[in-house]
């Protein structure tokens, strides 16, 4: 630690950081624009000026930029002296010279960092009377709005875009005339482009989906929630107005998503407002009110022995547990197919029983050697891909440290990294958007990837089984990768279910265990398909195929399906046969699907915006999400529907289920694997000064006007028995435990990305009131090396291996209903490399028919140069994709 003096007061600080970082950590208000805790310092805006003195006798000092000055021992600075205050006020005046006077109509108003810093710096009167510089704005696609006239040239946007691996947003400039945009109009390509709306300190880049029905920040009700669109469990803060979900912004969690979320998590929310939403329950197509629907549900479920329940890896633990309670443990399915459940079991088991540390996203960024085995991470777990991209810079940080360059000196570290990158190996069937940071990218079929992994594990640790029939080139590749991973201080192995191969997962686990035997800093990360796939694995139950067979064999006659479209998971013929055989099919879900089309009773179920529950992410971290607004009268959460049916039938198991906390506790007590989930969030009776945390900011307005078409009397806000959150602005507005922190706001700091500084124990550190979540999985070290080594890939004449392809926009079930993401999603297609297309004699764009085990799909043919010979990729066609990977035949479709 070092001692610095701020306005003659001594403070203990970390000398590795710069003065701005430490001043903000000490809770001083010091203006800044270009600096960002995740992207560090470039000294572009000159706004964080302070006066630095040589010693206590120096009366004049000199102006320095706090973000570019180390917090060295003995440093003496002044923040409040006239010299630095005048300098900062002058700088903000220069920055405002060309900024328009449009705060009342600017979509950034009320959460604008520029507004905050202008007030903080003391600039309140415009002296310039000259014409302002103006620009032509661009159409940047369905997600981001562009208003270049508001730019203050802080360079944050292009710096973030480089940080995220984007290449189509640039700074175009001549002298002081700088334009931040694309070479030509068009949708921003990077899957993190939505973060520009939060990173930009002014209103240049704003959320276009919010602008469609614009609401000021202070009129948005918010709640703490968890993204449902992949397995990473990013923390989000949804905003609501008029009973409608209007936007999603990032909610800081140091160990998970940090400061950023992907565009699927940011814009996928539109499914909540989709016309395909189920808002009224129905029986045989006739709409029912809540009481009639509940009576019908209770009648159809009165005999548990005649029920089979199919849960879901996208439903909460509590909803799945309630269904398990309704039908009985032996008649409950976790909602995954046999193949999918096997892969999830292998991935979670590798984490739980292996020797390697389970990597958080924060720890992922520190890895100094990475091996990705079989997983297209940018498409299946985008936020993990962003963390991996940062890990590729570990070597440049190490070199900077050796030559005395501070880690926060971003431009210098990036210059060092131009020719110094950490080792990064990717072995996948197709190209990925991380290939640009890869030391080596191998294109192999899943069998070959698994063989490579098993061989690497043996090269690291002779106790792991070997692959005997490698050729010289393969052996050289194995030895090269094994040597790099062995020499690394913090090696990371990444794999998952995306390749459709359990043996790839086993091979990755072998590598991690082989490394961990000698290096306790070894890390392992596994990607699973959905937001609660690990939770479904921990609950347990039958595979979907077994549940469907029980119906077909007349072991039961009523099928209860929870938030699950069976046609996306299992063989269509088997699903249809079971649905036809069932006397009654009951579906609880929020959005229309093929399964709902075959249901007798459909129960309108709340989305994440209208429900509460617990999810377990890919690393085994249980996290709670809370409803944003009271649902319509006929919509209820899944566990509430099932609890009320159990009560109506006199089932004593649910007698104490009065709120979410009690259901969660019952779940933890009944299932030892879920012990501890009640600690994922503070209980509903948590209070600060006898107050709940407020979902609405202190300036929230218009509640009476919103109800004026129905009543002139303002009703009391709804009561929320399930959380420590209130539905009004009357409540505690400060720092509360991270699990129930609905939004970040502090006096003078209205921007989400900047206000969070006031809620951290230090900049980019833990939240002062406690983090969110509770990890359920920790490595036990009991796993034995797997030995299920596959043979060399091969096939019969005319037979191809079809592999599942993934896309960040379009592959996930709920976000595909978002109009903003539909516009960015590719069409469903079959992909093959150029040699394969030539062998087939089929031109690109032609319609082809792919057949696997009697099921077929017709899709256009695209060329994917990097796919291995003998393989094809299938993107879309969910019913068909449930069978992949599989040997298939392919031919041009007859017109």
């Amino acid at each position: 630690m070092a001692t610095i003096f701020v306005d003659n007061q001594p403070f203990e600080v970390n000398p590795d950081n710069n003065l701005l970082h430490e001043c903000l950590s000490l809770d001083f208000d010091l203006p800044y624009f270009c600096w960002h805790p995740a992207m560090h310092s470039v000294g572009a805006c000159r706004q964080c000026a302070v006066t630095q003195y040589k010693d206590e006798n120096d009366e004049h000092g000199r102006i320095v930029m706090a973000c570019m000055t180390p917090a060295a021992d003995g440093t003496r600075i002044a923040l409040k002296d006239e010299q630095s205050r005048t300098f900062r006020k002058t700088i903000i005046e220069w920055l405002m010279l060309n900024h328009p006077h449009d705060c009342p109509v600017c979509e950034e108003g009320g959460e604008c960092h520029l507004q905050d810093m202008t007030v903080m710096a003391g600039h309140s009167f415009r002296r310039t009377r000259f014409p302002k510089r103006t620009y032509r704005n661009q159409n940047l696609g369905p997600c981001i709005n562009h208003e270049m006239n508001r730019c203050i040239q802080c360079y944050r946007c292009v710096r973030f875009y480089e940080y995220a691996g984007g290449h189509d947003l640039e700074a175009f400039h001549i002298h002081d005339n700088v334009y931040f945009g694309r070479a030509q109009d068009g949708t921003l390509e990077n899957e993190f482009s939505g973060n520009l709306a939060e990173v930009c300190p002014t209103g240049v880049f704003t959320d276009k989906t919010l602008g469609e029905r614009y609401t000021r920040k202070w009129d948005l009700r918010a709640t703490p929630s968890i993204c449902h669109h992949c397995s990473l469990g990013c923390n989000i803060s949804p905003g609501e107005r008029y009973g409608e979900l209007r936007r999603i912004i990032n909610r800081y969690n140091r160990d998970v998503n940090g400061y950023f979320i992907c565009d699927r998590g940011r814009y996928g929310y539109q499914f909540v407002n989709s016309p395909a939403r189920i808002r009224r329950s129905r029986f045989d197509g006739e709409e029912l009110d809540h009481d009639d629907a509940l009576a019908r549900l209770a009648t159809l479920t009165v005999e548990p022995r005649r029920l089979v329940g199919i849960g879901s890896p996208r439903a909460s633990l509590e909803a799945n547990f309630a269904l398990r309670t309704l039908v009985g443990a032996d008649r409950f399915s976790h909602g995954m197919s046999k193949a999918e459940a096997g892969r999830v079991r292998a991935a979670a088991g590798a984490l739980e029983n292996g020797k390697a540390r389970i990597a958080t996203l924060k720890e992922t960024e520190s890895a100094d050697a990475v091996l990705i085995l079989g997983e297209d991470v940018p498409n299946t777990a985008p936020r993990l891909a962003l963390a991996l991209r940062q890990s590729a810079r570990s070597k440049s940080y190490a070199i900077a440290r050796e030559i005395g360059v501070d880690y926060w000196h971003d431009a210098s570290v990036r210059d060092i990294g131009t020719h110094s990158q950490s080792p990064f190996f990717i072995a996948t069937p197709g190209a990925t958007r991380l290939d640009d940071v890869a030391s080596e990218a191998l294109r192999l079929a899943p069998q070959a990837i698994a063989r490579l992994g098993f061989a690497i594990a043996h090269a690291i640790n002779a106790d792991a089984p070997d692959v005997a029939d490698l050729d010289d080139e393969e052996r050289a590749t194995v030895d090269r990768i094994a040597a790099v991973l062995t020499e690394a201080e913090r090696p990371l192995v990444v794999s998952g279910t995306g390749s459709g191969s359990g043996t790839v997962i086993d091979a990755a686990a072998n590598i991690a265990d082989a490394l961990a035997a000698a290096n306790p800093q070894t890390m392992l990360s596994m990607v699973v398909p959905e937001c609660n796939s690990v939770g479904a694995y921990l609950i347990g139950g039958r595979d979907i195929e077994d549940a469907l067979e029980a119906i077909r064999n007349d072991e039961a006659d009523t099928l209860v399906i929870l938030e699950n479209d069976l046609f996306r998971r299992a063989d269509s013929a088997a699903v249809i046969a079971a649905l036809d055989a069932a006397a009654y099919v009951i579906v609880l879900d929020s959005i229309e699907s093929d399964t709902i089309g075959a249901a007798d009773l459909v129960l309108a179920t709340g989305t994440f915006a209208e429900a509460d529950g617990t999810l377990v992410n890919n690393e085994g971290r249980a996290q709670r999400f809370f409803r944003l607004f009271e649902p319509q009268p006929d919509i209820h959460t899944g566990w509430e529907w099932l609890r009320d049916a159990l009560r109506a039938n006199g089932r004593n198991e649910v007698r104490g289920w009065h709120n979410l906390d009690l259901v969660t506790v019952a779940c933890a007590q009944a299932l030892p694997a879920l012990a501890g989930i009640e600690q994922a969030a503070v209980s509903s009776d948590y209070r600060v000064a006898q107050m709940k945390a407020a979902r609405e900011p202190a300036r929230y307005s218009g509640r009476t006007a919103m109800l004026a078409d129905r009543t002139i009397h303002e009703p009391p806000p709804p009561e929320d028995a399930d959380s420590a959150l209130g539905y009004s602005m009357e409540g505690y507005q400060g720092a509360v435990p991270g699990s129930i922190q609905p939004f970040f706001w502090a006096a003078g700091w209205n921007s989400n990305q900047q206000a969070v500084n006031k809620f951290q124990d230090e900049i980019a550190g833990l939240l002062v009131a406690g983090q969110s979540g509770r990890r359920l999985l920790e490595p036990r070290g009991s796993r034995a090396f797997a030995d299920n080594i596959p043979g060399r890939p091969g096939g019969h004449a005319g037979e191809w291996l079809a592999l599942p392809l993934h896309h960040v926009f379009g592959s996930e079930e709920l976000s595909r209903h978002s109009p903003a993401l539909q516009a960015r999603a590719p069409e469903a297609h079959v992909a093959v490399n150029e040699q394969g297309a030539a062998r087939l004699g089929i031109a690109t764009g032609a319609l082809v028919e792919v057949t696997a085990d009697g099921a077929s799909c017709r899709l256009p043919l695209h060329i994917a140069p990097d796919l291995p010979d003998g393989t094809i990729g299938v993107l879309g066609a969910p019913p068909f994709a449930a069978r992949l990977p599989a040997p298939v035949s392919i031919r041009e479709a007859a017109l």
Side-chain angles (χ1 to χ4, degrees), residues 393-572:
R393 301 181 60 201
S394 292
K395 186 174 182 180
S396 62
Y397 284 118
I399 295 174
R401 187 166 54 250
E402 290 173 5
I403 63 177
V405 174
D406 293 301
Y407 79 92
W408 43 261
H409 204 304
D410 188 63
S412 298
V413 174
R414 287 191 180 277
D415 285 344
I416 292 168
T418 303
H419 304 292
S420 303
Q421 186 170 288
S422 300
F424 200 111
F425 302 98
I426 301 177
T428 52
T432 80
R433 290 189 299 281
L434 282 174
D435 289 353
D436 61 320
V437 297
S439 312
E440 194 169 344
L442 306 172
R443 299 290 168 251
L444 303 169
Q447 272 182 278
I449 293 172
R451 287 167 56 82
L452 172 74
F454 281 115
I456 291 171
H458 177 77
I460 295 168
N461 187 326
D463 292 337
D466 194 13
V467 181
D469 54 343
L470 296 180
D471 60 33
D472 291 343
E473 183 179 354
E474 291 170 330
R475 183 60 67 185
T477 300
V478 166
D479 292 342
R480 185 168 60 252
I481 297 173
V484 169
L485 293 175
T486 303
E487 293 168 4
E489 292 182 17
R490 299 175 304 279
L492 169 66
V493 181
V494 179
S495 190
T497 62
S499 68
S501 171
T503 55
V504 168
I505 296 170
D506 290 340
N510 272 17
I511 297 172
D513 287 346
L515 287 167
N519 182 355
Q521 297 302 311
T522 300
M523 296 179 285
L524 176 63
S525 180
M526 287 287 178
V527 178
V528 293
E530 298 191 57
C531 61
N532 206 19
S533 292
V534 173
Y537 152 77
L538 293 173
I539 288 176
R542 304 166 76 169
D543 300 327
I544 279 183
E545 292 87 345
D546 295 338
L548 298 178
E549 187 177 2
I551 292 289
R552 292 196 302 269
N553 293 342
D554 199 30
E555 298 172 29
D557 58 15
T558 299
L559 184 59
V560 186
I561 303 167
L562 173 69
E563 298 181 41
N564 204 330
D565 183 4
L566 303 187
F567 289 96
R568 292 179 64 89
R569 305 204 183 261
D571 179 76
S572 298

Side-chain angles (χ1 to χ4, degrees), residues 481-672:
I481 297 173
V484 169
L485 293 175
T486 303
E487 293 168 4
E489 292 182 17
R490 299 175 304 279
L492 169 66
V493 181
V494 179
S495 190
T497 62
S499 68
S501 171
T503 55
V504 168
I505 296 170
D506 290 340
N510 272 17
I511 297 172
D513 287 346
L515 287 167
N519 182 355
Q521 297 302 311
T522 300
M523 296 179 285
L524 176 63
S525 180
M526 287 287 178
V527 178
V528 293
E530 298 191 57
C531 61
N532 206 19
S533 292
V534 173
Y537 152 77
L538 293 173
I539 288 176
R542 304 166 76 169
D543 300 327
I544 279 183
E545 292 87 345
D546 295 338
L548 298 178
E549 187 177 2
I551 292 289
R552 292 196 302 269
N553 293 342
D554 199 30
E555 298 172 29
D557 58 15
T558 299
L559 184 59
V560 186
I561 303 167
L562 173 69
E563 298 181 41
N564 204 330
D565 183 4
L566 303 187
F567 289 96
R568 292 179 64 89
R569 305 204 183 261
D571 179 76
S572 298
V575 172
I576 291 170
L579 295 176
D580 289 343
Y584 292 102
V585 176
I586 303 169
V587 179
L588 298 85
D589 213 337
S590 59
I591 201 155
E592 298 287 353
S593 68
D594 291 338
T595 300
I596 285 175
D600 299 293
L601 176 61
V602 178
L603 299 173
T605 306
T607 64
F608 75 93
E610 302 142 313
D612 312 87
T614 307
L615 304 175
V616 183
N617 76 348
N618 68 310
E619 57 168 304
R621 186 186 301 271
Q623 299 182 105
R624 193 78 43 80
F625 63 95
F626 297 99
R627 67 183 67 193
L628 173 62
F629 50 85
E630 279 288 287
Q632 296 175 9
D634 295 321
I635 297 176
H636 288 264
T637 64
W639 66 265
E640 287 173 329
W641 277 116
L642 297 166
R643 175 201 62 186
D644 292 347
L646 285 159
R647 282 179 175 173
N649 288 327
R651 299 276 293 275
N652 291 329
E653 305 101 298
V654 298
R655 182 177 296 171
W657 292 12
H658 301 303
N659 68 1
L660 178 70
D661 286 347
L662 298 172
V663 183
T664 305
V665 169
C667 181
Q669 290 175 347
L671 298 166

Side-chain angles (χ1 to χ4, degrees), residues 157-473:
C157 56
V158 290
R159 290 182 61 219
F160 170 76
Y161 219 68
E162 181 182 16
Y163 176 96
H167 303 289
D168 61 319
L169 181 72
E170 301 287 349
F172 304 95
H173 54 88
I174 298 176
H175 192 47
D176 66 338
N177 193 345
V178 187
Y179 187 91
F180 296 94
R182 301 181 84 247
Q184 58 186 8
D185 285 18
T187 301
L188 288 168
E189 297 169 3
N190 190 269
E191 61 270 27
F192 292 93
S193 63
N195 289 281
L196 293 172
E198 288 193 63
V199 167
C200 176
T202 73
V204 178
F205 299 98
T206 54
D207 185 336
K208 186 176 283 189
T209 65
L210 174 65
E212 292 169 359
R213 298 193 63 193
Y214 182 64
T215 305
R216 292 292 185 192
K217 172 185 179 176
W218 60 77
D219 284 332
L220 285 170
R221 177 187 289 163
T223 201
S225 194
I226 305 298
C227 181
H228 279 53
H229 300 307
C230 83
S231 65
L232 299 183
C234 292
N235 290 208
I236 57 173
S237 180
E240 172 265 346
R241 183 72 168 171
Y242 290 104
E244 181 181 79
L245 182 52
R246 295 290 180 86
R247 73 168 181 184
I248 298 286
I249 58 174
N250 184 76
R251 184 166 63 95
Y252 177 84
N253 184 318
R254 189 200 66 171
D255 295 328
V256 187
N257 46 294
Y259 291 92
F260 308 119
I261 55 174
C262 75
D263 287 0
R264 183 161 77 188
R266 187 178 297 275
Y267 299 111
Y269 77 88
Q270 290 180 311
F271 84 92
V272 174
N273 308 322
S274 169
R277 277 295 308 280
I278 300 167
R279 302 190 185 277
R280 292 290 301 275
S281 300
R282 59 183 186 258
F283 183 75
D284 284 347
E286 181 179 344
E287 289 190 348
L288 305 172
D289 62 23
H290 169 263
D291 291 343
D292 290 340
L294 180 58
R296 184 74 68 170
L297 174 63
T299 300
L300 296 180
T301 59
V302 70
E303 292 189 61
R305 62 186 181 83
R306 301 302 298 167
L307 304 176
V308 166
I310 297 180
S312 172
R314 66 172 166 88
S316 69
L317 292 177
E318 290 82 0
N320 277 295
F321 177 65
L323 178 59
R324 182 180 182 272
T325 304
L326 175 73
V327 303
D330 58 336
R331 292 182 296 278
F332 171 76
S333 167
H334 43 55
M336 297 181 286
S337 69
K338 192 180 297 292
E340 181 182 347
R343 293 190 290 267
V344 171
R345 192 176 300 114
L351 298 175
E352 187 175 21
N353 301 315
K355 300 178 179 65
R357 294 172 54 199
I358 302 172
T360 66
L361 289 181
K362 177 68 175 176
E363 291 169 335
T364 294
E365 296 181 356
S366 68
D368 59 352
V370 172
L371 171 62
I372 300 176
L373 214 62
E375 193 70 20
D376 183 3
V377 181
N379 283 320
T380 59
R383 186 59 184 81
L384 173 59
L386 183 63
L388 288 168
R389 184 172 291 279
Q390 309 321 307
S391 75
R393 301 181 60 201
S394 292
K395 186 174 182 180
S396 62
Y397 284 118
I399 295 174
R401 187 166 54 250
E402 290 173 5
I403 63 177
V405 174
D406 293 301
Y407 79 92
W408 43 261
H409 204 304
D410 188 63
S412 298
V413 174
R414 287 191 180 277
D415 285 344
I416 292 168
T418 303
H419 304 292
S420 303
Q421 186 170 288
S422 300
F424 200 111
F425 302 98
I426 301 177
T428 52
T432 80
R433 290 189 299 281
L434 282 174
D435 289 353
D436 61 320
V437 297
S439 312
E440 194 169 344
L442 306 172
R443 299 290 168 251
L444 303 169
Q447 272 182 278
I449 293 172
R451 287 167 56 82
L452 172 74
F454 281 115
I456 291 171
H458 177 77
I460 295 168
N461 187 326
D463 292 337
D466 194 13
V467 181
D469 54 343
L470 296 180
D471 60 33
D472 291 343
E473 183 179 354

Side-chain angles (χ1 to χ4, degrees), residues 47 123-124 128 144 225 236 311 431 496 506 638 818 823 826 850 881:
Q47 185 62 71
H123 172 57
S124 58
T128 178
I144 290 293
S225 194
I236 57 173
D506 290 340
S818 166
V850 182

